[in-house]
Every structure is written in C-alpha cells, then in structure tokens.
Amino acid sequence: MVKIVDVARLAGVSSATVSRVLNNVPTVDQSLAERVRSAADELAYRPNGVARNLRRQRTDVWALIISDIENPFFTAVARGVEDVAREHGFSVLLCNSDENRGKEDRYLQVAEQEQVAGVIISPNMRGSDVARLVDASIPVVTIDRTVRKPVDSVTVQSRRGARGATQHLFDSGWRRPACITGPDYAQTAEDRLQGYLDAIARAPRRMTQGLVRHTDFQEAGAVAAAASLLDVPDPPDAFFVANATMTLGVLQELAERGLKPGRDVGLVAFDDAPWARLTDPALTVVAQPTHEIGATAGHLLTERITGSARKRARHIVLSTELIVRESSLRHR
C-alpha cells in the first residue's frame, strides 16, 4: 500500500507538506502542491478516508440543505455550490427540506452527528435554528435568506429588483399592477413586496392604490390569488409575481380567462426559470445570479473551513437583472 511517506519521497517534500496539500490547505506553495499531486497520481495514492476523518474529526462532505428541490432557482444554485466544492476536493450531500422545519432539523442533526466539513442552507420561511452547528464549530453559510446566528450569508437585492420590475410595468404603460407574493412571515416574500410598494408609492395616486395577495410559494396558491385579484370590481391590468413557480399559476389563470400577457395584462416574474423565454409571449423576469449565489457561498464556506476567513460574519448581497421580454410590453 502506498503511504504518504512514499509520495513525499517522490515529490521531494516533507510528509507534512503532502498532508497539507491533500487536505487542501491554501498556504502551500503552488509549485510544491503540483509536485505532490503529480507524485500522488503517479503512485496511485489513495488516502485512508476513515483514518483521516478520525484524526481531523471532520469529513470531506458539505451538506447543502435547500427548501424546495422542485424550484429551478435551487437547482442552479446547487450547481454553483457543487462546482466550488469539487474544485477544493469536497463532495456535496443534497438535502431537500420542503420548507418543513421537522425535516430541516433532522438534516441539521445528521450534519452535526456526521461531522460534515460545513453546511450551506436555504433557511425555511419561518427561520432556521443553526445553533447546534455553530456550537459544534461547523461552518455555516446561508443562501437566499438569513438567520439570527452570526453566520456568513449570500442574498440578492430582492427589494431593489422588485421595485425595478414594478416601475418597468408603469413605464410600459400599465396603470394598475398587482403583486402576488409569498407568506408575510417569509423574508424574501416581504422584501419583494416592499420593492413593489416602493414603486407604488412613487406613482401618481390616480394610477393605483396597490393590490396585494399573500400565498405560499406554490402554483396552486397563485392560481387562487390571481383569480381573486381579477374578480375585484376594478381589477389589475398587470402583475408582479414574486417567484417563478407562482408565475406558472398566474399564467394558468390568465389562460383560463383568455387573457394574454403583453396584450391584455402585463406580467413580470421574479426568477428567470429555464422555461421563461419559451412561453408565448416570452416572460419578462428579474433574474438572480443563481450560479454565482451558489459559488459565492461555496467560496465563503471554503474560507471558513481552511481558517482564512475573518472572524466576523460576512454578508454578501448580489445584484439582480431585469430582463425585458414581450410579456411586460404593452401591445394593442
């Protein structure tokens, strides 16, 4: 069996240097690291993972806990996380909490018991308790939402993106935009609602007083929300919808009533789902940098694991982009 000392002898370095390279310690000189990896490949060296984990009390696995695996936003985020993890020699265990606090708590418990190297989590809508991980000195990074504990986070400018989307509807000639958002206890739902209300406040009062519906972040709830808005005496002539999954419900209700986006109503969605450009007409969206969110979280976690991050929690806020397509442009 090939041992670390054999790799060290071939590479012309110490066994300690080999160990640091194989454990992805970033302070090792790049030329030395390349010699070590080349020697390890030549000798077909395979580290004893069980023994190494017993020494380090950590695995080479990250736990990625997301709140809705069916949401394409999280699929793209997961790819960003996985790309960075692989680059630094880690594997990713994907966990889907379904916005269920019980499931999420179970995954957090497993992450602690298995001594994962770190956790990236999309907190549930009511707020996640990551205290057990913090107490166990397991690095944590949150995405999409934040938690009360002082841990690193990656979010986007949801409020600004929603404000720009609603203002775009006004600029495109729509006069009475409505907002369909998530539950009022969900941070992202409230941020996007506040952005909508910011734009409403800037508009002349004669244009609109604002029409808002809260529902879950699911398709069925959005169908009911859109129906209730369209049934009021003075219905909206446009919609800002706070995520892509709910937008499918709005599109379903519009189709049921024979209303076409861009002709009869304006429509902007938060999130650029893979199908958004394929609808008829193509859907205007507030695009989040999904891969960048995941990759940034991965880099923050790597720095925590290697000890190269500053002590104070870091909060990275990324920009969104309004992508204008036909659904929001007024055509008569």
Side-chain angles (χ1 to χ4, degrees):
M1 177 183 294
V2 179
K3 300 179 180 180
I4 280 184
V5 66
D6 302 316
V7 178
R9 187 179 300 113
L10 181 60
V13 299
S14 68
S15 296
T17 297
V18 173
S19 179
R20 288 197 297 272
V21 171
L22 297 179
N23 286 314
N24 299 296
V25 175
T27 56
V28 180
D29 180 80
Q30 185 62 34
S31 62
L32 291 181
E34 291 176 359
R35 279 163 49 189
V36 168
R37 293 193 178 98
S38 177
D41 289 343
E42 183 175 339
L43 295 173
Y45 172 76
R46 295 293 178 269
N48 185 330
V50 173
R52 181 177 60 185
N53 290 336
L54 287 173
R55 291 193 302 272
R56 294 165 56 207
Q57 295 299 302
R58 285 288 187 271
T59 67
D60 289 328
V61 173
W62 294 356
L64 172 59
I65 305 174
I66 60 174
S67 54
D68 183 3
I69 199 170
E70 294 183 349
N71 188 331
F73 165 80
F74 289 111
T75 305
V77 169
R79 179 57 187 267
V81 171
E82 197 271 338
D83 285 347
V84 174
R86 188 179 66 251
E87 176 186 342
H88 292 279
F90 293 94
S91 299
V92 178
L93 175 65
L94 180 62
C95 310
N96 175 46
S97 71
D98 279 327
E99 292 284 5
N100 182 298
R101 183 173 290 179
K103 286 184 66 175
E104 181 184 84
D105 285 344
R106 175 57 181 157
Y107 286 133
L108 292 173
Q109 181 182 6
V110 170
E112 179 196 10
Q113 290 174 344
E114 297 300 322
Q115 287 290 285
V116 298
V119 173
I120 296 175
I121 181 172
S122 166
N124 71 71
M125 287 187 287
R126 293 187 180 275
S128 303
D129 184 4
V130 298
R132 67 166 63 242
L133 301 181
V134 174
D135 292 343
S137 299
I138 296 176
V140 178
V141 179
T142 69
I143 53 174
D144 195 40
R145 302 166 185 148
T146 58
V147 293
R148 293 181 179 179
K149 283 289 184 179
V151 299
D152 296 333
S153 66
V154 184
T155 57
V156 300
Q157 296 174 333
S158 282
R159 183 169 180 169
R160 180 179 296 182
R163 180 171 64 241
T166 307
Q167 185 59 52
H168 166 70
L169 288 169
F170 282 126
D171 293 343
S172 298
W174 307 102
R175 290 292 177 262
R176 193 167 166 76
C179 174
I180 298 178
T181 190
D184 57 10
Y185 50 79
Q187 179 183 341
T188 45
E190 283 300 287
D191 287 345
R192 292 166 196 179
L193 172 60
Q194 288 304 313
Y196 162 82
L197 294 175
D198 290 344
I200 293 297
R202 295 178 179 182
R205 290 185 179 180
R206 62 182 176 82
M207 285 187 179
T208 182
Q209 295 300 313
L211 294 165
V212 176
R213 293 291 185 274
H214 288 280
T215 183
D216 56 19
F217 278 116
Q218 300 300 320
E219 185 175 341
V223 170
S228 70
L229 285 165
L230 291 168
D231 286 339
V232 301
D234 190 8
D237 64 355
F239 291 87
F240 165 66
V241 189
N243 85 344
T245 303
M246 290 194 297
T247 303
L248 288 172
V250 174
L251 287 169
Q252 179 180 330
E253 183 61 25
L254 293 178
E256 188 73 20
R257 295 172 183 248
L259 301 175
K260 185 171 183 177
R263 183 191 68 192
D264 306 303
V265 294
L267 182 60
V268 181
F270 210 101
D271 285 341
D272 189 17
W275 47 261
R277 69 191 64 194
L278 304 178
T279 60
D280 181 24
L283 185 64
T284 294
V285 298
V286 179
Q288 301 190 73
T290 47
H291 186 277
E292 185 181 357
I293 292 170
T296 301
H299 287 303
L300 292 178
L301 189 61
T302 301
E303 291 170 5
R304 285 290 172 202
I305 292 169
T306 60
S308 61
R310 68 188 188 192
K311 186 174 182 180
R312 180 174 296 182
R314 299 158 296 175
H315 303 290
I316 308 300
V317 183
L318 303 175
S319 299
T320 60
E321 178 187 3
L322 179 67
I323 301 177
V324 177
R325 301 184 181 119
E326 293 297 307
S327 72
S328 62
L329 301 178
R330 195 178 183 102
H331 298 287
R332 293 296 186 187

